[in-house]
Amino acid sequence: MQTEIVKITDQNKEEVLNRAADIIKNGDLVVFPTETVYGLGASVFDEKALSKIFIAKGRPSDNPLIVHISDKNQLKDLVKNITESQQKLMDKFWPGPLTIIFDKKENISDIVSGGLSTIAIRMPSNIFARELINLAGVPIAAPSANISGRPSGTTGEDIYKELDGKVDMIIEAGESKIGVESTVVKINEESVLILRPGAVTKEMLEETLHLPVIFAKEKNDLQSSPGTRYKHYAPKANLELVSKEEIFNKAESFKKEGLKIGIITTIQNNNSFKEYEPNVFILGDENNLEEISQKLYSALRFFDDKNVDIILCQNFKEEGIGVAIMDRLGRASAKKS
Ligand code: AMP
Ligand code: MG
């Protein structure tokens, strides 16, 4: 398959999005930008097209997809009912980086839900994404645009390197704004379970719903979100997390052993690692966690062609979006798959 990568601009957006919508209507695959990470999309109502997503990514079939909508009216074709709490979250956070789990309608394919009776839905704030869904005339099921287990794609160019020949079109719109995937929540009337942390934080959810908010990890409840079980987000070389105080000494001792080291750190530590250049990636300011999250996957991909033996990355504060950053780094550095 020939993969076309096209840079979208205000001038060509109509033509590009119309062409992309035709590809979706035709049952094929389009990689499109969202504010979190890029999505690899197909029509939610086309089983053949949905299976192509799993083939392109090498994704296990029990890992369900997130369905992207552009209008709340589309929910009536997807979900059985909407609870008061779900409504409040939609009103507050959509469009935006929050995925909500609903009971799915019977007509929704098991390919979308990984065999579960529920469906994950979000309305992206990225304007190109919403316009594409409008033009396609159907909700678009889309996991992150990457080979399964690898860091999610946050630029069209990174994705082209990885998915060339596997998708029909890639819409390049520059770096994703947030850089980590959406927060995924499951709600019952007494509590909220965060299945995957993201830019919508525990505190924001508490403030909106006035219900206890629990990380699924703490409750050991991740069976209900299959995708979170797998080793994920992993760069080619092994990744090790170290505190910012220890990272320099750790690097020195690995260097003495003759290992080639990659370093992921912040401007605060920049001067300590001159000797390790060019194998150093500066994520940004350690006090600006939004900047860190935006660059995170580019940093992990940066070392793919550098032939390093090990990547050392410093830990970040687990507050706000820092919880999501540390969640992804934890999985990316996990030893077993
Ligand atoms: P990705 O699209 O690659 O960001 O992965 C989608 C994420 O959403 C995975 O972590 C899935 O486990 C989660 N997900 C999708 N559908 C459901 C669902 N019905 N219930 C729970 N988690 C879901
Ligand atoms: Mg993914």
Side-chain angles (χ1 to χ4, degrees):
M1 176 195 306
Q2 190 81 12
T3 299
E4 181 192 7
I5 176 164
V6 42
K7 204 174 198 132
I8 193 163
T9 63
D10 281 338
Q11 283 70 45
N12 71 5
K13 67 178 179 197
E14 214 163 300
E15 183 259 325
V16 171
L17 292 174
N18 268 305
R19 227 147 33 82
D22 285 344
I23 293 173
I24 298 281
K25 286 187 216 166
N26 211 20
D28 290 319
L29 303 180
V30 174
V31 170
F32 62 98
T34 86
E35 70 280 17
T36 56
V37 299
Y38 280 68
L40 198 178
S43 163
V44 73
F45 298 125
D46 184 336
E47 287 207 320
K48 235 169 137 187
L50 293 166
S51 334
K52 289 182 188 173
I53 295 179
F54 288 81
I55 295 166
K57 291 193 53 144
R59 183 172 174 108
S61 60
D62 68 347
N63 189 357
L65 307 176
I66 292 175
V67 178
H68 294 70
I69 61 171
S70 55
D71 189 312
K72 284 181 194 156
N73 276 327
Q74 291 163 318
L75 287 173
K76 65 179 184 323
D77 301 325
L78 302 171
V79 311
K80 260 192 186 152
N81 60 302
I82 299 172
T83 67
E84 204 181 307
S85 300
Q86 287 167 334
Q87 187 65 50
K88 275 193 199 159
L89 290 184
M90 290 191 272
D91 293 344
K92 174 86 181 177
F93 297 106
W94 283 5
L98 179 71
T99 297
I100 304 173
I101 308 290
F102 296 87
D103 288 331
K104 72 163 185 162
K105 275 213 153 150
E106 273 84 18
N107 60 309
I108 300 298
S109 166
D110 274 344
I111 303 178
V112 175
S113 61
L116 300 171
S117 60
T118 50
I119 180 168
I121 304 178
R122 142 174 137 82
M123 186 191 292
S125 67
N126 183 290
I127 200 81
F128 298 135
R130 287 219 306 280
E131 191 53 30
L132 173 63
I133 300 164
N134 275 337
L135 292 169
V138 283
I140 297 183
S144 52
N146 53 272
I147 295 291
S148 204
R150 294 264 301 141
S152 301
T154 52
T155 71
E157 217 174 290
D158 280 348
I159 295 161
Y160 185 74
K161 279 188 212 153
E162 192 155 301
L163 295 178
D164 182 21
K166 298 187 157 100
V167 298
D168 298 273
M169 184 182 196
I170 298 173
I171 302 173
E172 162 73 278
E175 234 175 35
S176 309
K177 221 167 91 193
I178 295 175
V180 293
E181 306 78 359
S182 58
T183 306
V184 180
V185 293
K186 198 168 181 177
I187 317 156
N188 59 43
E189 291 317 304
E190 293 105 57
S191 65
V192 181
L193 204 55
I194 299 184
L195 297 174
R196 177 173 76 184
V200 172
T201 63
K202 181 179 196 270
E203 292 73 24
M204 295 178 197
L205 294 164
E206 274 165 354
E207 202 176 297
T208 308
L209 291 180
H210 306 288
L211 287 175
V213 179
I214 304 149
F215 288 110
K217 221 160 62 177
E218 294 166 19
K219 249 194 102 195
N220 217 354
D221 206 6
L222 284 178
Q223 300 88 304
S224 60
S225 191
T228 53
R229 282 201 310 259
Y230 302 107
K231 180 172 166 94
H232 222 131
Y233 320 114
K236 287 185 181 152
N238 281 333
L239 174 73
E240 194 169 314
L241 302 182
V242 201
S243 72
K244 80 169 182 188
E245 292 78 20
E246 284 167 336
I247 186 168
F248 181 75
N249 286 340
K250 190 97 190 186
E252 291 286 292
S253 81
F254 277 138
K255 199 165 70 175
K256 272 192 204 125
E257 287 174 30
L259 296 180
K260 188 172 169 191
I261 326 285
I263 302 286
I264 301 177
T265 188
T266 61
I267 47 173
Q268 279 80 1
N269 253 338
N270 189 10
N271 287 335
S272 316
F273 290 102
K274 291 285 174 225
E275 258 183 69
Y276 289 80
E277 280 172 11
N279 294 324
V280 180
F281 193 103
I282 303 296
L283 281 168
D285 185 326
E286 67 179 22
N287 297 312
N288 184 347
L289 293 173
E290 280 70 28
E291 191 180 12
I292 305 292
S293 81
Q294 196 195 20
K295 293 273 184 298
L296 189 66
Y297 292 138
S298 297
L300 294 178
R301 287 175 179 279
F302 173 76
F303 294 101
D304 282 346
D305 59 3
K306 301 283 183 296
N307 243 331
V308 296
D309 298 305
I310 189 158
I311 305 167
L312 295 179
C313 175
Q314 80 175 61
N315 287 323
F316 295 93
K317 276 183 268 184
E318 285 195 66
E319 58 186 43
I321 201 171
V323 178
I325 295 171
M326 288 307 295
D327 170 72
R328 305 310 191 271
L329 284 173
R331 291 173 203 282
S333 62
K335 290 281 183 296
K336 61 181 175 61
S337 57

